Amino acid sequence: MNLKEPLWSKQTDSDGSQPPSSSSTRDPESDGAPSAATSAVEELIKSLNQQRIYREVTLALRTGLRDARAEFSFLRVRGLRFLLKSLRSIAQSDTSVYLFSLTQSIPELQVVPVLFEHSLKETVDDRVQSLDHIFSVEPMNIKSPSTDAEVALALRVLEGCCLLHPESTSLAQQHKAIPVLMNVLSTRGVLEQGACLDALISIMLDSSTNQTEFEACNGIEEVAELIRDKQVDETLRLKCGEFLLLLIGHVNGRDRSPMATIHEDVRRLLGEKSASLIWAASQFGSTLDPDQRLTALHIQARRVLESLDLY
C-alpha cells in the first residue's frame, strides 16, 4: 500500500494569483467571508483526505488478512508480505498510524489474532484418528504447516503492529504470546530467532503483564544461553546482546517493574564484568538520532560479546 496525494489537495489555479479587486478600498466585513470560505474548504479537503487514507488502510488490511488466513503456507506468506509492506507505508504518516489504530478495534481487521491463529500456531499431531472422513462426502480439512519464512514474516508483522498500536500488546497477551515466542526462540532457526527477539521487545514495551510472563518463562536464561554458546551463529549472538541492552535500558526502565531482579539475573548468568558493561551501555543514545542510536547499539552489543568469559 502506497499512500498517494489526493487530486483535490493540489492548487487548481495555474499561477496561484488572486483576482483583481474592483475597488481600491476593502470592506473589513467582506474580507471575512473569503477567509471563512477558505477555512471551510480546507476542512473539507482534510476530511476527504482522511476518508481516503482510511479506505486505503482498511483495503490493505482486508487484502493481506484474506491471504494470511489461507490454508496453504505460500498464500499466507503472500498475505504477510503485503501486510508488512502496508505497515511500513502506514508508519510514514501520523494520520495513517492513527487510522490504523482505529481499525484494530474492529475484530475482522485485527492483525494480531490472525498471526497467532494461523502462522504462529504450534503444529499439532496430524495422525488420523478416524477413517470416518473416507466414507463421507465432506472433504478432510488439511492445513499446511508454517514454513520458516512464514514464521519470520509473522514475527515482523507482530513487531510492527505492537510498535504502531501499543494496545496490540494486550491482544498478543490474550494469545499467550510470550510462551509462543519463547518456543520459537528455543526450537526454530536463526532467521526466526532474530525476528523473535525483536518481536519480544515490542510486545513487552509498556506491558507489565508480558514482562511478568517473560520472567516466568525464564526468558533471560534462554537469551543468556544463546549468547554464551560459541556454536551459535555470531549474528544471532549479537542480536541477543542488542536484546539485553534494549531490555534493560528501555523496556525495564522503572524501579518497580515486574523484572526487578533482571540485573542480578544477568550478573549471575553472564558474570560481573559483562553485567556492568550491559548496564552502562544500556543508557546510551537518548540524544542521538535514530541512525546514530542504531549504530551505537551495534557497537555496544559487539563489546558485550567480547566481554564474555566463555572458558
Side-chain angles (χ1 to χ4, degrees):
M1 181 192 73
N2 294 316
L3 302 180
K4 301 179 181 179
E5 183 181 1
L7 295 176
W8 59 77
S9 67
K10 299 179 180 179
Q11 188 66 257
T12 56
D13 294 337
S14 59
D15 56 356
S17 60
Q18 295 291 335
S21 176
S22 59
S23 174
S24 59
T25 59
R26 286 184 172 274
D27 186 359
E29 294 183 358
S30 64
D31 288 342
S35 299
T38 302
S39 177
V41 171
E42 291 175 348
E43 288 297 324
L44 176 60
I45 291 175
K46 182 179 179 181
S47 176
L48 291 173
N49 187 50
Q50 192 172 50
Q51 292 177 28
R52 174 187 62 85
I53 296 176
Y54 184 79
R55 287 195 298 269
E56 291 185 1
V57 170
T58 54
L59 177 61
L61 292 177
R62 293 184 189 279
T63 303
L65 290 173
R66 180 191 59 205
D67 285 341
R69 296 187 180 101
E71 295 180 352
F72 299 102
S73 181
F74 77 94
L75 289 176
R76 297 196 297 270
V77 167
R78 184 176 69 179
L80 292 171
R81 285 175 177 164
F82 188 83
L83 286 172
L84 186 59
K85 181 180 179 181
S86 299
L87 291 176
R88 288 170 176 167
S89 179
I90 289 171
Q92 298 176 4
S93 166
D94 291 339
T95 300
S96 56
V97 170
Y98 168 73
L99 295 176
F100 171 75
S101 300
L102 293 181
T103 63
Q104 294 310 287
S105 63
I106 305 174
E108 58 267 25
L109 295 179
Q110 290 177 342
V111 178
V112 171
V114 174
L115 299 178
F116 285 97
E117 291 169 4
H118 297 274
S119 297
L120 298 177
K121 186 176 181 180
E122 295 184 12
T123 305
V124 297
D125 191 354
D126 292 330
R127 289 178 298 180
V128 176
Q129 304 294 335
S130 172
L131 299 179
D132 292 342
H133 67 280
I134 297 178
F135 306 103
S136 67
V137 295
E138 294 294 333
M140 186 177 181
N141 186 20
I142 300 176
K143 186 171 183 178
S144 61
S146 300
T147 62
D148 294 345
E150 180 184 347
V151 173
L153 281 170
L155 292 170
R156 293 299 179 192
V157 174
L158 173 63
E159 177 190 3
C161 287
C162 291
L163 292 177
L164 294 177
H165 179 240
E167 287 76 11
S168 288
T169 59
S170 298
L171 287 174
Q173 190 275 331
Q174 294 173 16
H175 289 81
K176 306 297 180 183
I178 295 296
V180 171
L181 266 61
M182 293 308 302
N183 180 64
V184 171
L185 188 63
S186 60
T187 61
R188 288 282 184 168
V190 174
L191 179 66
E192 305 93 288
Q193 288 173 317
C196 183
L197 291 170
D198 291 334
L200 280 169
I201 288 293
S202 67
I203 68 175
M204 286 193 289
L205 279 173
D206 299 321
S207 175
S208 58
T209 303
N210 286 328
Q211 292 177 30
T212 301
E213 290 195 4
F214 179 76
E215 188 176 33
C217 292
N218 299 318
I220 295 295
E221 285 82 351
E222 292 284 346
V223 176
E225 182 178 351
L226 288 174
I227 198 173
R228 288 198 313 259
D229 190 351
K230 285 185 176 181
Q231 303 301 319
V232 172
D233 183 83
E234 185 177 3
T235 302
L236 179 60
R237 294 178 65 211
L238 286 171
K239 178 66 73 172
C240 290
E242 296 173 4
F243 174 86
L244 292 175
L245 290 168
L246 292 172
L247 184 67
I248 294 177
H250 298 273
V251 175
N252 194 62
R254 297 183 297 272
D255 294 335
R256 296 184 178 181
S257 67
M259 297 183 291
T261 62
I262 185 172
H263 298 288
E264 290 75 9
D265 293 338
V266 173
R267 185 179 296 107
R268 172 175 53 85
L269 295 167
L270 300 181
E272 179 67 35
K273 181 179 179 181
S274 297
S276 299
L277 179 59
I278 290 174
W279 183 88
S282 65
Q283 312 303 316
F284 71 93
S286 59
T287 60
L288 301 176
D289 62 48
D291 291 337
Q292 291 175 328
R293 284 199 298 267
L294 186 59
T295 301
L297 179 63
H298 294 333
I299 294 174
Q300 298 296 351
R302 170 67 65 181
R303 291 176 178 172
V304 169
L305 210 61
E306 294 172 350
S307 70
L308 290 173
D309 182 9
L310 300 178
Y311 293 104

